[in-house]
Amino acid sequence: MALTKISRGLLNTGISDSSDATAITIDSSENVGINYTTPSSMSAAANNLVVGSGTSGDNTGLTIFSNSDASGSLHFADGTSGAAAYAGYIYYTHSSDFLGFGTGGAERMRITAGTVGIGTTSPDNTLHIHKGTAGSVTGN
């Protein structure tokens, strides 16, 4: 189903019908395209949500907008409870201005203003690699 000017009015979705362009498409495989009408044409490994037109010169982006005292996240889950709900993740914490990357349900790398920490959430050099209980290796 494509949400076009005609169907938008029928569905009363709150999407503006001031344009003749198709903004959102839900195809027969229930894949969703935003500014893209054939999301199932993309790789089956990542075609559930396709954003962009592919038109020459068309920049495409996705914004996760959260308050300055909160975080924005992208989670990769293989279950619905505990760490399985966020087995892998990327998140940005605005109040502390850092970007975190997690695997196995735990943060593994953090990027702050001017530092990168691997295996630590408190990098204290340009590159800080923590090597478990045996100590850490740091460098500039």
Side-chain angles (χ1 to χ4, degrees):
M1 168 180 103
L3 294 178
T4 62
K5 184 174 182 177
I6 295 169
S7 62
R8 281 183 277 187
L10 295 173
L11 294 174
N12 194 20
T13 61
I15 298 171
S16 171
D17 64 356
S18 62
S19 172
D20 289 330
T22 300
I24 300 172
T25 300
I26 303 171
D27 67 17
S28 61
S29 297
E30 298 184 358
N31 294 320
V32 176
I34 298 177
N35 199 28
Y36 193 73
T37 58
T38 55
S40 287
S41 67
M42 294 298 191
S43 168
N47 66 359
N48 301 104
L49 174 62
V50 177
V51 178
S53 69
T55 302
S56 178
D58 246 2
N59 295 321
T60 302
L62 180 65
T63 299
I64 298 173
F65 181 44
S66 51
N67 201 316
S68 62
D69 64 352
S71 298
S73 304
L74 177 62
H75 289 197
F76 304 89
D78 57 6
T80 59
S81 63
Y86 55 90
Y89 56 86
I90 302 169
Y91 73 105
Y92 189 84
T93 298
H94 294 282
S95 60
S96 302
D97 285 328
F98 71 82
L99 181 65
F101 298 85
T103 62
E107 185 176 318
R108 307 297 181 180
M109 184 170 84
R110 181 176 287 193
I111 301 172
T112 65
T115 64
V116 175
I118 300 174
T120 178
T121 59
S122 303
D124 55 13
N125 282 296
T126 303
L127 177 60
H128 181 159
I129 302 172
H130 180 73
K131 296 177 108 179
T133 57
S136 64
V137 176
T138 59
N140 291 322

